[in-house]
Amino acid sequence: MLDYAQMQYQQHISKFLDVNVIPYVNKFEKEGSFDRELIFKMGQEGFLGANIPHKYGGSSLDMIQIGILNEQFARASSSVRSILTVHGMLGLAILRWGNEIQRNKWLPKLSSGEIVGSFALAEQEAGSDAGNIQMEAVKKDNHYILNGKKIWVTMGEIADLYLVFAKHNGNITAFLVEKNSSVLVESIDGLLGVRASMIANLTFRNCIVPEENVLGIEGAGLKYVAASCLDYGRYTIAWACLGISQACVDLCIDYVKKRKQFGVPLSEQQLIQQMITQMVISTKAVRLYCHDIARLREKGEPESIIETWSAKYLASKIVNEVVSKAVQIFGANGCFEQYPIERYFRDAKIHEIIEGTSQLHEIIIAGNYV
């Protein structure tokens, strides 16, 4: 399905992960973080500027390449991969809705990894119902004053630049907020999955934001800025689910060939063969869907938006089915942290929640047809 150049790019990413990520995944998970040096290396390789044009220091990857990037990183670590989504969402927002001054100021730094970006939308009473955010922005002279709290901010612990959504005169506006002393960062521990994605809660106390840091126009924050970011996020998550599913398939195929029970390899047990078949076929279906939406997005087809919703829904459902079977195949070993299956199982569930729950997806998808 991939052409020669795409396969070469896939191999390049895999080599990077083999050296810089995979040997340290368990360490990242236990510590709940990974270091800035890795982020800088990702920037040097062009991974952080995937959707940013060359003129701003980015890689200007096409949709298939962005998919390959997220798939391969998900095979190694969902936590490390998560920066590709939120960093990319911020970069896309500035590229699409920012002015040339904002683009030249921030995009090269995001592309290189000099700064880390994050996306701050959710609040205690505003998860799926994003329009219910209560964070307030008050205009005074040539600046805004932000007060409120954002939760579940991926990379929030270390981010240098936040894309923050707040209400001003009853409408939601997007702001570029630089990390400063008026932003209280509260780390979150005890996560089910993506434990090293450095998720944090952010409290803004009389945070002063200059008016030149408004992204787009006042009142366009949710319908335009956030919507385009979340659309990109859902695309990357679909491919991430594919990466986890494929990793489980590969591990299980290798495992059943080597593991013997009742004197024969597991691969000769019919019920194991049934599970392997279901895992392989389901993963292939997701791959076909991901490639299809990549083609639609590359062409700028209008239906790519609803198809991205559908692909993320399908991929997140299937990855949970696949990892569940993988745990069964690995048995007790599948419940042990020394085997990646255990981590994939925990991470998979997160993908049914982030960038819109499966239930929200069902409402949106059905609403497109009935």
Side-chain angles (χ1 to χ4, degrees):
M1 187 173 289
L2 299 181
D3 62 27
Y4 180 75
Q6 291 165 345
M7 287 190 289
Q8 289 291 102
Y9 184 59
Q10 183 183 69
Q11 292 171 7
H12 170 69
I13 300 167
S14 295
K15 289 179 182 178
F16 175 88
L17 295 170
D18 286 343
V19 174
N20 297 287
V21 178
I22 293 175
Y24 310 105
V25 170
N26 288 341
K27 175 177 179 289
F28 295 159
E29 290 288 301
K30 288 179 180 179
E31 295 179 354
S33 65
F34 55 94
D35 55 42
R36 294 292 290 252
E37 182 181 355
L38 174 56
I39 295 173
F40 183 68
K41 288 179 180 179
M42 291 171 67
Q44 286 183 311
E45 294 293 335
F47 300 149
L48 297 181
N51 58 352
I52 296 174
H54 294 301
K55 66 178 291 189
Y56 302 114
S59 303
S60 195
L61 301 184
D62 61 33
M63 285 292 113
I64 288 289
Q65 290 173 313
I66 289 174
I68 292 170
L69 178 64
N70 281 274
E71 178 189 358
Q72 292 305 307
F73 264 82
R75 290 167 65 97
S77 167
S78 291
S79 294
V80 176
R81 192 218 61 81
S82 65
I83 194 174
L84 299 178
T85 291
V86 296
H87 205 81
M89 288 163 74
L90 177 56
L92 175 67
I94 295 173
L95 177 65
R96 183 170 295 180
W97 305 105
N99 55 47
E100 199 61 17
I101 294 175
Q102 292 169 331
R103 292 173 188 147
N104 284 313
K105 180 178 181 180
W106 298 116
L107 293 181
K109 294 179 181 179
L110 287 169
S111 297
S112 68
E114 180 181 343
I115 64 171
V116 174
S118 67
F119 182 82
L121 176 64
E123 297 180 5
Q124 193 64 43
E125 301 299 328
S128 297
D129 183 14
N132 193 41
I133 67 172
Q134 300 301 308
M135 186 169 181
E136 185 179 22
V138 177
K139 181 75 178 291
K140 184 177 181 181
D141 300 325
N142 61 347
H143 63 269
Y144 294 81
I145 302 174
L146 271 58
N147 281 284
K149 186 174 184 177
K150 295 295 182 181
I151 62 174
W152 308 121
V153 181
T154 301
M155 295 294 142
E157 282 187 18
I158 62 168
D160 306 290
L161 183 66
Y162 313 109
L163 179 55
V164 181
F165 298 86
K167 279 188 176 178
H168 173 65
N169 291 336
N171 296 310
I172 298 173
T173 298
F175 299 89
L176 295 170
V177 181
E178 298 179 64
K179 190 173 187 177
N180 62 76
S181 59
S182 65
V183 182
L184 176 64
V185 179
E186 176 189 2
S187 300
I188 300 177
D189 298 318
L191 292 167
L192 169 68
V194 292
R195 291 176 174 173
S197 56
M198 293 177 276
I199 295 176
N201 295 334
L202 308 176
T203 301
F204 297 80
R205 296 175 176 172
N206 295 320
C207 179
I208 297 176
V209 182
E211 60 184 359
E212 59 264 29
N213 279 26
V214 170
L215 189 62
I217 61 174
E218 287 188 1
L222 187 61
K223 186 176 180 180
Y224 297 100
V225 181
S228 61
C229 291
L230 292 168
D231 173 62
Y232 178 80
R234 282 186 283 272
Y235 178 73
T236 64
I237 297 301
W239 280 89
C241 292
L242 172 60
I244 296 173
S245 293
Q246 188 64 60
C248 288
V249 168
D250 294 342
L251 287 168
C252 286
I253 289 174
D254 183 64
Y255 188 76
V256 300
K257 290 178 179 178
K258 298 176 181 177
R259 176 78 167 174
K260 287 187 176 181
Q261 291 289 283
F262 306 105
V264 296
L266 285 179
S267 59
E268 296 182 17
Q269 303 284 354
Q270 285 189 337
L271 291 178
I272 296 296
Q273 292 172 350
Q274 180 187 60
M275 286 193 285
I276 292 291
T277 298
Q278 291 169 346
M279 293 167 67
V280 168
I281 298 304
S282 295
T283 300
K284 284 188 174 183
V286 172
R287 184 174 300 283
L288 288 170
Y289 210 155
C290 284
H291 277 263
D292 188 50
I293 58 169
R295 176 183 58 80
L296 293 174
R297 294 178 71 90
E298 194 66 32
K299 292 182 177 181
E301 299 288 351
E303 65 264 34
S304 67
I305 296 175
I306 190 62
E307 292 301 331
T308 299
W309 278 95
S310 301
K312 192 270 184 182
Y313 175 77
L314 177 69
S316 63
K317 284 288 187 182
I318 283 180
V319 72
N320 278 276
E321 295 172 3
V322 168
V323 297
S324 181
K325 288 182 173 64
V327 172
Q328 287 297 115
I329 290 172
F330 270 72
N333 289 334
C335 304
F336 185 39
E337 65 179 8
Q338 293 303 311
Y339 289 79
I341 295 296
E342 182 268 347
R343 172 168 47 85
Y344 291 143
F345 184 79
R346 292 185 289 100
D347 289 344
K349 190 60 185 177
I350 304 300
H351 292 72
E352 266 202 296
I353 298 170
I354 55 177
E355 318 309 343
T357 64
S358 293
Q359 289 68 38
L360 179 61
H361 278 66
E362 289 168 350
I363 293 171
I364 298 296
I365 295 168
N368 187 66
Y369 296 102
V370 298

